[in-house]
mmCIF file of all heavy atoms in Angstrom:
data_model
loop_
_atom_site.group_PDB
_atom_site.id
_atom_site.type_symbol
_atom_site.label_atom_id
_atom_site.label_comp_id
_atom_site.label_asym_id
_atom_site.label_seq_id
_atom_site.Cartn_x
_atom_site.Cartn_y
_atom_site.Cartn_z
ATOM 1 N N ALA A 121 18.598 -8.556 -25.884
ATOM 2 C CA ALA A 121 19.341 -8.337 -24.640
ATOM 3 C C ALA A 121 20.808 -8.005 -24.877
ATOM 4 O O ALA A 121 21.458 -7.392 -24.035
ATOM 5 C CB ALA A 121 19.222 -9.563 -23.743
ATOM 6 N N ARG A 122 21.345 -8.383 -26.058
ATOM 7 C CA ARG A 122 22.774 -8.136 -26.317
ATOM 8 C C ARG A 122 22.999 -6.843 -27.085
ATOM 9 O O ARG A 122 24.128 -6.504 -27.410
ATOM 10 C CB ARG A 122 23.364 -9.307 -27.103
ATOM 11 C CG ARG A 122 23.482 -10.570 -26.278
ATOM 12 C CD ARG A 122 24.634 -11.440 -26.764
ATOM 13 N NE ARG A 122 24.760 -12.607 -25.906
ATOM 14 C CZ ARG A 122 24.059 -13.717 -26.079
ATOM 15 N NH1 ARG A 122 23.217 -13.813 -27.082
ATOM 16 N NH2 ARG A 122 24.222 -14.740 -25.260
ATOM 17 N N ARG A 123 21.919 -6.154 -27.419
ATOM 18 C CA ARG A 123 22.095 -4.879 -28.163
ATOM 19 C C ARG A 123 22.396 -3.751 -27.210
ATOM 20 O O ARG A 123 21.948 -3.736 -26.063
ATOM 21 C CB ARG A 123 20.829 -4.567 -28.958
ATOM 22 C CG ARG A 123 20.715 -5.538 -30.088
ATOM 23 C CD ARG A 123 20.034 -5.136 -31.340
ATOM 24 N NE ARG A 123 19.484 -3.831 -31.524
ATOM 25 C CZ ARG A 123 18.313 -3.652 -32.127
ATOM 26 N NH1 ARG A 123 17.583 -4.674 -32.501
ATOM 27 N NH2 ARG A 123 17.874 -2.432 -32.351
ATOM 28 N N ARG A 124 23.154 -2.783 -27.702
ATOM 29 C CA ARG A 124 23.482 -1.641 -26.851
ATOM 30 C C ARG A 124 22.239 -0.774 -26.653
ATOM 31 O O ARG A 124 21.476 -0.536 -27.584
ATOM 32 C CB ARG A 124 24.603 -0.790 -27.471
ATOM 33 C CG ARG A 124 25.833 -1.591 -27.695
ATOM 34 C CD ARG A 124 27.121 -0.818 -27.551
ATOM 35 N NE ARG A 124 28.235 -1.758 -27.686
ATOM 36 C CZ ARG A 124 28.674 -2.524 -26.696
ATOM 37 N NH1 ARG A 124 28.135 -2.441 -25.497
ATOM 38 N NH2 ARG A 124 29.660 -3.362 -26.895
ATOM 39 N N VAL A 125 22.083 -0.325 -25.428
ATOM 40 C CA VAL A 125 20.888 0.430 -25.064
ATOM 41 C C VAL A 125 20.785 1.730 -25.869
ATOM 42 O O VAL A 125 19.691 2.191 -26.197
ATOM 43 C CB VAL A 125 20.899 0.708 -23.538
ATOM 44 C CG1 VAL A 125 19.774 1.625 -23.141
ATOM 45 C CG2 VAL A 125 20.821 -0.604 -22.781
ATOM 46 N N GLY A 126 21.964 2.279 -26.254
ATOM 47 C CA GLY A 126 21.983 3.525 -27.034
ATOM 48 C C GLY A 126 21.248 3.396 -28.349
ATOM 49 O O GLY A 126 20.752 4.388 -28.886
ATOM 50 N N ALA A 127 21.165 2.164 -28.900
ATOM 51 C CA ALA A 127 20.506 1.959 -30.192
ATOM 52 C C ALA A 127 19.026 1.598 -30.030
ATOM 53 O O ALA A 127 18.344 1.313 -31.007
ATOM 54 C CB ALA A 127 21.226 0.843 -30.953
ATOM 55 N N PHE A 128 18.527 1.633 -28.806
ATOM 56 C CA PHE A 128 17.131 1.246 -28.552
ATOM 57 C C PHE A 128 16.148 2.315 -29.025
ATOM 58 O O PHE A 128 16.417 3.510 -28.919
ATOM 59 C CB PHE A 128 16.908 1.042 -27.043
ATOM 60 C CG PHE A 128 17.177 -0.370 -26.571
ATOM 61 C CD1 PHE A 128 18.001 -1.220 -27.288
ATOM 62 C CD2 PHE A 128 16.590 -0.836 -25.408
ATOM 63 C CE1 PHE A 128 18.247 -2.512 -26.851
ATOM 64 C CE2 PHE A 128 16.824 -2.129 -24.963
ATOM 65 C CZ PHE A 128 17.658 -2.966 -25.681
ATOM 66 N N SER A 129 14.998 1.876 -29.502
ATOM 67 C CA SER A 129 13.917 2.820 -29.822
ATOM 68 C C SER A 129 13.298 3.257 -28.496
ATOM 69 O O SER A 129 13.562 2.643 -27.442
ATOM 70 C CB SER A 129 12.856 2.126 -30.672
ATOM 71 O OG SER A 129 12.239 1.109 -29.908
ATOM 72 N N LEU A 130 12.456 4.289 -28.566
ATOM 73 C CA LEU A 130 11.791 4.771 -27.349
ATOM 74 C C LEU A 130 10.982 3.644 -26.694
ATOM 75 O O LEU A 130 11.025 3.447 -25.481
ATOM 76 C CB LEU A 130 10.869 5.939 -27.723
ATOM 77 C CG LEU A 130 10.195 6.706 -26.594
ATOM 78 C CD1 LEU A 130 11.215 7.248 -25.623
ATOM 79 C CD2 LEU A 130 9.352 7.846 -27.168
ATOM 80 N N GLY A 131 10.296 2.877 -27.530
ATOM 81 C CA GLY A 131 9.464 1.783 -27.022
ATOM 82 C C GLY A 131 10.292 0.701 -26.334
ATOM 83 O O GLY A 131 9.929 0.194 -25.271
ATOM 84 N N MET A 132 11.463 0.369 -26.937
ATOM 85 C CA MET A 132 12.332 -0.642 -26.318
ATOM 86 C C MET A 132 12.894 -0.104 -25.007
ATOM 87 O O MET A 132 13.057 -0.845 -24.026
ATOM 88 C CB MET A 132 13.453 -1.044 -27.277
ATOM 89 C CG MET A 132 12.989 -1.999 -28.369
ATOM 90 S SD MET A 132 14.071 -1.929 -29.810
ATOM 91 C CE MET A 132 15.517 -2.745 -29.210
ATOM 92 N N GLY A 133 13.202 1.191 -24.989
ATOM 93 C CA GLY A 133 13.689 1.821 -23.757
ATOM 94 C C GLY A 133 12.642 1.722 -22.648
ATOM 95 O O GLY A 133 12.974 1.451 -21.491
ATOM 96 N N GLN A 134 11.368 1.907 -23.023
ATOM 97 C CA GLN A 134 10.286 1.794 -22.033
ATOM 98 C C GLN A 134 10.219 0.366 -21.496
ATOM 99 O O GLN A 134 10.047 0.151 -20.312
ATOM 100 C CB GLN A 134 8.921 2.145 -22.665
ATOM 101 C CG GLN A 134 8.703 3.615 -22.940
ATOM 102 C CD GLN A 134 8.588 4.446 -21.680
ATOM 103 O OE1 GLN A 134 9.588 4.863 -21.124
ATOM 104 N NE2 GLN A 134 7.386 4.695 -21.211
ATOM 105 N N ARG A 135 10.353 -0.604 -22.403
ATOM 106 C CA ARG A 135 10.325 -2.016 -21.963
ATOM 107 C C ARG A 135 11.478 -2.304 -21.008
ATOM 108 O O ARG A 135 11.307 -2.997 -20.007
ATOM 109 C CB ARG A 135 10.394 -2.957 -23.170
ATOM 110 C CG ARG A 135 9.080 -3.039 -23.928
ATOM 111 C CD ARG A 135 9.204 -3.958 -25.142
ATOM 112 N NE ARG A 135 8.021 -3.877 -25.978
ATOM 113 C CZ ARG A 135 7.102 -4.840 -26.082
ATOM 114 N NH1 ARG A 135 7.238 -5.965 -25.420
ATOM 115 N NH2 ARG A 135 6.045 -4.681 -26.857
ATOM 116 N N LEU A 136 12.644 -1.733 -21.314
ATOM 117 C CA LEU A 136 13.803 -1.954 -20.449
ATOM 118 C C LEU A 136 13.546 -1.311 -19.074
ATOM 119 O O LEU A 136 13.875 -1.895 -18.035
ATOM 120 C CB LEU A 136 15.068 -1.360 -21.092
ATOM 121 C CG LEU A 136 16.351 -1.522 -20.282
ATOM 122 C CD1 LEU A 136 16.674 -2.991 -20.007
ATOM 123 C CD2 LEU A 136 17.538 -0.856 -20.996
ATOM 124 N N GLY A 137 12.950 -0.117 -19.088
ATOM 125 C CA GLY A 137 12.626 0.562 -17.829
ATOM 126 C C GLY A 137 11.656 -0.261 -17.001
ATOM 127 O O GLY A 137 11.783 -0.367 -15.772
ATOM 128 N N ILE A 138 10.702 -0.887 -17.666
ATOM 129 C CA ILE A 138 9.728 -1.722 -16.956
ATOM 130 C C ILE A 138 10.426 -2.976 -16.418
ATOM 131 O O ILE A 138 10.178 -3.411 -15.297
ATOM 132 C CB ILE A 138 8.524 -2.060 -17.874
ATOM 133 C CG1 ILE A 138 7.746 -0.764 -18.180
ATOM 134 C CG2 ILE A 138 7.606 -3.103 -17.232
ATOM 135 C CD1 ILE A 138 6.639 -0.892 -19.207
ATOM 136 N N ALA A 139 11.356 -3.528 -17.220
ATOM 137 C CA ALA A 139 12.117 -4.704 -16.758
ATOM 138 C C ALA A 139 12.870 -4.355 -15.477
ATOM 139 O O ALA A 139 12.871 -5.132 -14.510
ATOM 140 C CB ALA A 139 13.092 -5.156 -17.841
ATOM 141 N N ALA A 140 13.479 -3.177 -15.451
ATOM 142 C CA ALA A 140 14.230 -2.750 -14.260
ATOM 143 C C ALA A 140 13.286 -2.617 -13.069
ATOM 144 O O ALA A 140 13.626 -3.012 -11.942
ATOM 145 C CB ALA A 140 14.938 -1.428 -14.540
ATOM 146 N N ALA A 141 12.090 -2.102 -13.329
ATOM 147 C CA ALA A 141 11.120 -1.925 -12.236
ATOM 148 C C ALA A 141 10.695 -3.277 -11.649
ATOM 149 O O ALA A 141 10.401 -3.370 -10.462
ATOM 150 C CB ALA A 141 9.901 -1.157 -12.744
ATOM 151 N N LEU A 142 10.664 -4.314 -12.495
ATOM 152 C CA LEU A 142 10.182 -5.629 -12.037
ATOM 153 C C LEU A 142 11.278 -6.518 -11.456
ATOM 154 O O LEU A 142 11.000 -7.597 -10.917
ATOM 155 C CB LEU A 142 9.506 -6.375 -13.204
ATOM 156 C CG LEU A 142 8.316 -5.668 -13.861
ATOM 157 C CD1 LEU A 142 7.715 -6.549 -14.937
ATOM 158 C CD2 LEU A 142 7.269 -5.296 -12.818
ATOM 159 N N LEU A 143 12.524 -6.055 -11.567
ATOM 160 C CA LEU A 143 13.681 -6.868 -11.200
ATOM 161 C C LEU A 143 13.600 -7.457 -9.787
ATOM 162 O O LEU A 143 13.902 -8.628 -9.571
ATOM 163 C CB LEU A 143 14.949 -6.014 -11.346
ATOM 164 C CG LEU A 143 16.275 -6.722 -11.530
ATOM 165 C CD1 LEU A 143 16.259 -7.644 -12.744
ATOM 166 C CD2 LEU A 143 17.396 -5.682 -11.689
ATOM 167 N N GLY A 144 13.171 -6.656 -8.841
ATOM 168 C CA GLY A 144 13.131 -7.134 -7.445
ATOM 169 C C GLY A 144 11.835 -7.832 -7.084
ATOM 170 O O GLY A 144 11.575 -8.052 -5.908
ATOM 171 N N ASP A 145 11.016 -8.168 -8.108
ATOM 172 C CA ASP A 145 9.726 -8.819 -7.878
ATOM 173 C C ASP A 145 8.927 -8.040 -6.810
ATOM 174 O O ASP A 145 8.461 -8.611 -5.819
ATOM 175 C CB ASP A 145 9.967 -10.273 -7.417
ATOM 176 C CG ASP A 145 8.714 -11.123 -7.537
ATOM 177 O OD1 ASP A 145 7.775 -10.691 -8.233
ATOM 178 O OD2 ASP A 145 8.671 -12.202 -6.915
ATOM 179 N N PRO A 146 8.781 -6.725 -7.018
ATOM 180 C CA PRO A 146 8.224 -5.854 -5.972
ATOM 181 C C PRO A 146 6.723 -6.012 -5.801
ATOM 182 O O PRO A 146 6.024 -6.369 -6.745
ATOM 183 C CB PRO A 146 8.524 -4.451 -6.506
ATOM 184 C CG PRO A 146 8.485 -4.620 -7.993
ATOM 185 C CD PRO A 146 9.019 -5.995 -8.270
ATOM 186 N N GLU A 147 6.260 -5.733 -4.587
ATOM 187 C CA GLU A 147 4.814 -5.812 -4.387
ATOM 188 C C GLU A 147 4.122 -4.516 -4.801
ATOM 189 O O GLU A 147 2.915 -4.484 -4.960
ATOM 190 C CB GLU A 147 4.474 -6.189 -2.945
ATOM 191 C CG GLU A 147 4.879 -5.199 -1.897
ATOM 192 C CD GLU A 147 4.613 -5.740 -0.501
ATOM 193 O OE1 GLU A 147 5.522 -6.403 0.057
ATOM 194 O OE2 GLU A 147 3.523 -5.509 0.001
ATOM 195 N N ILE A 148 4.915 -3.460 -4.992
ATOM 196 C CA ILE A 148 4.348 -2.190 -5.448
ATOM 197 C C ILE A 148 5.017 -1.780 -6.754
ATOM 198 O O ILE A 148 6.251 -1.794 -6.858
ATOM 199 C CB ILE A 148 4.568 -1.096 -4.387
ATOM 200 C CG1 ILE A 148 3.783 -1.461 -3.127
ATOM 201 C CG2 ILE A 148 4.158 0.283 -4.909
ATOM 202 C CD1 ILE A 148 4.011 -0.550 -1.968
ATOM 203 N N VAL A 149 4.217 -1.456 -7.742
ATOM 204 C CA VAL A 149 4.765 -1.061 -9.034
ATOM 205 C C VAL A 149 4.231 0.319 -9.388
ATOM 206 O O VAL A 149 3.020 0.558 -9.343
ATOM 207 C CB VAL A 149 4.368 -2.084 -10.135
ATOM 208 C CG1 VAL A 149 4.940 -1.670 -11.483
ATOM 209 C CG2 VAL A 149 4.848 -3.480 -9.764
ATOM 210 N N ILE A 150 5.154 1.246 -9.711
ATOM 211 C CA ILE A 150 4.761 2.615 -10.051
ATOM 212 C C ILE A 150 5.280 2.921 -11.451
ATOM 213 O O ILE A 150 6.482 2.832 -11.712
ATOM 214 C CB ILE A 150 5.382 3.617 -9.044
ATOM 215 C CG1 ILE A 150 4.868 3.328 -7.632
ATOM 216 C CG2 ILE A 150 5.067 5.053 -9.456
ATOM 217 C CD1 ILE A 150 5.516 4.175 -6.549
ATOM 218 N N LEU A 151 4.378 3.237 -12.349
ATOM 219 C CA LEU A 151 4.787 3.507 -13.723
ATOM 220 C C LEU A 151 4.307 4.898 -14.140
ATOM 221 O O LEU A 151 3.114 5.200 -14.078
ATOM 222 C CB LEU A 151 4.204 2.449 -14.674
ATOM 223 C CG LEU A 151 4.479 0.973 -14.333
ATOM 224 C CD1 LEU A 151 3.709 0.045 -15.262
ATOM 225 C CD2 LEU A 151 5.969 0.658 -14.421
ATOM 226 N N ASP A 152 5.254 5.744 -14.548
ATOM 227 C CA ASP A 152 4.913 7.101 -14.978
ATOM 228 C C ASP A 152 4.837 7.106 -16.503
ATOM 229 O O ASP A 152 5.853 6.906 -17.171
ATOM 230 C CB ASP A 152 6.004 8.070 -14.476
ATOM 231 C CG ASP A 152 5.565 9.528 -14.524
ATOM 232 O OD1 ASP A 152 4.386 9.791 -14.859
ATOM 233 O OD2 ASP A 152 6.391 10.411 -14.235
ATOM 234 N N GLU A 153 3.657 7.286 -17.042
ATOM 235 C CA GLU A 153 3.436 7.312 -18.497
ATOM 236 C C GLU A 153 4.100 6.118 -19.205
ATOM 237 O O GLU A 153 4.924 6.288 -20.087
ATOM 238 C CB GLU A 153 3.988 8.615 -19.098
ATOM 239 C CG GLU A 153 3.392 9.882 -18.535
ATOM 240 C CD GLU A 153 2.091 10.296 -19.218
ATOM 241 O OE1 GLU A 153 1.681 9.608 -20.182
ATOM 242 O OE2 GLU A 153 1.493 11.284 -18.767
#
Side-chain angles (χ1 to χ4, degrees):
R122 290 209 177 85
R123 290 209 1 221
R124 302 212 175 278
V125 173
F128 270 23
S129 65
L130 187 56
M132 283 157 72
Q134 287 292 85
R135 285 179 189 252
L136 180 59
I138 294 173
L142 302 183
L143 202 57
D145 196 16
E147 64 185 89
I148 295 174
V149 180
I150 298 175
L151 306 173
D152 196 5
E153 301 275 357

